[in-house]
Amino acid sequence: MIPKTFARAVVAALMITHAPALAAAPPQMDHDHSGKTPDKTPIGTGTVNAVDAARRTVTLTHGPITALNWPGMTMDFPVAPGIDLAGLRPGAQVMFALGRSPAGAYWIDHVMPDDAAMPTGYGPDDHGG
């Protein structure tokens, strides 16, 4: 089992690695779904409000996602096929990364409960772990 501190260190390293580019971007909202990919992996934190396993969506209230110039808000996110929704419960605090679905929309492709030792699932772009 991977220690909780190691999992947090990995997420922190990802955030630190992306911090210079994120800090340079002025805050503005960009909901462009044209297939354009941001320069850095969009990472966020939030609270799970609802899980719809049948539709494979999670409703999150999240803080700002700087890589996308999104302010904090509540929204429904589709979830990548490899994510285990059974580990997500309303009220859970989570860290997550967004990727693009084959249709080009943003979806959750990595998610980690804030108090967990390791991610609950991986999306189709994961090449190890």
Side-chain angles (χ1 to χ4, degrees):
M1 181 168 161
I2 298 174
K4 182 184 339 183
T5 55
F6 177 75
R8 288 179 190 241
V10 169
V11 171
L14 284 170
M15 292 178 149
I16 290 168
T17 302
H18 300 314
L22 298 177
Q28 59 184 9
M29 200 147 146
D30 177 9
H31 281 227
D32 176 22
H33 292 276
S34 66
K36 178 176 79 173
T37 303
D39 293 335
K40 302 295 179 191
T41 300
I43 297 172
T45 60
T47 303
V48 175
N49 297 325
V51 178
D52 185 337
R55 292 181 49 219
R56 295 210 43 85
T57 61
V58 174
T59 304
L60 290 176
T61 298
H62 64 79
I65 301 177
T66 311
L68 299 174
N69 299 317
W70 289 2
M73 65 181 104
T74 298
M75 61 188 296
D76 293 337
F77 282 102
V79 180
I83 303 295
D84 179 11
L85 297 178
L88 298 176
R89 300 272 185 257
Q93 300 295 309
V94 296
M95 292 179 279
F96 60 94
L98 299 175
R100 293 287 189 142
S101 71
Y106 288 109
W107 67 0
I108 294 175
D109 65 3
H110 298 291
V111 64
M112 179 187 311
D114 198 21
D115 61 349
M118 53 192 306
T120 60
Y122 294 97
D125 294 331
D126 185 52
H127 299 289

